[in-house]
Amino acid sequence: MGEHEPDPGLPPTLRRLWRRAERPRRGPKPALSVDAIVRAAAAIADAEGLAAVSMARVGDALGYSAMALYRHVESKDELLALLADHIAADLAMPAHAGDWRSGLHAWTLTQIEAVLARPWFLDLPLATVQPGPNRVRWLDEAFGVLRGIDLPAAEKLAIIGLLAQHVLAEGRVQVEAGRAAAAGARRARGLPADAPVGELTPDELAAANPLNDFEAVLRHLAEPADYPHLTEALAGGGDGFAAADPDTDVDFGLTIVLDGVEAYLRRRGAR
């Protein structure tokens, strides 16, 4: 495939997302660029969350007015699409055994880890923003893993989409549970609400796991006769509902999802 011919019918936002916007042929290179704006927005989101990102804040960080930014990025919605693609640029496929299952496991786990590293990713409108080159590259990685599977492209895309949904669901559960545990551990030790998580020990975070409150409700407030199945499960031994290791909890859920994919492939005779 050669260079694409410019399509005048493409929306300007999509051309900028794919860096296909026309650039001036003469004169010095502009000091302000789409890439500089996106990097500054990501730095603000890393430090304060996505809610802190605005055209005015990004402009202040770069030493420009918000109006100057609008010459390069049309709107806040366009900036969010650019941020979604910017995050995907850091995704790298790790080594795996080479079969479809280990490949999809690595592909999915890499995204969950990226979400945990940058929780503001969950606040992006991922279902509606237009796909950029980095997100499409990551999708291409998944299709490469499934290359030897005899399924139509639409079914492969549906499987990949299922795993992408699992990333968002698992990521949200882990992020929100982690925030709640950190807040509880800070309160228990009398630390300020903005104390870094690094000051808390693993034992303190485990003790503040939100599932502990759920178990306390069942043990001390709920009538066993009203919730017989939960009561029976909790009385069955073990350490309760909370997983001993959050990483094990993440891997358990992903294993169940991939078991379902494997059963589907077997039924379709696609293995």
Side-chain angles (χ1 to χ4, degrees), residues 16 33 38 76-77 102 108 120 147 167 170 180 201 217 246 261:
R16 280 188 288 270
S33 67
V38 174
K76 173 72 175 294
D77 288 341
S102 65
T108 307
W120 57 267
R147 186 178 181 186
V167 168
E170 185 66 52
T201 68
V217 166
V261 172

Side-chain angles (χ1 to χ4, degrees), residues 41 52 62 92 109 225 231 268:
L62 294 171
L109 191 58
T231 302
R268 293 280 281 114

Side-chain angles (χ1 to χ4, degrees), residues 170-263:
E170 185 66 52
R172 186 169 300 281
V173 168
Q174 294 295 328
V175 166
E176 292 181 0
R179 287 171 176 168
R186 291 187 188 101
R187 287 194 299 270
R189 208 193 320 162
L191 295 174
D194 59 352
V197 176
E199 293 186 16
L200 305 169
T201 68
D203 287 344
E204 288 175 316
L205 292 171
N209 189 314
L211 279 176
N212 294 335
D213 293 335
F214 176 53
E215 292 182 23
V217 166
L218 291 177
R219 292 183 189 278
H220 305 295
L221 296 176
E223 291 292 338
D226 292 335
Y227 310 98
H229 306 302
L230 283 169
T231 302
E232 180 184 22
L234 190 58
D239 297 325
F241 293 122
D245 182 353
D247 291 336
T248 301
D249 196 28
V250 170
D251 201 59
F252 176 80
L254 180 52
T255 297
I256 295 297
V257 174
L258 291 175
D259 282 349
V261 172
E262 185 165 6

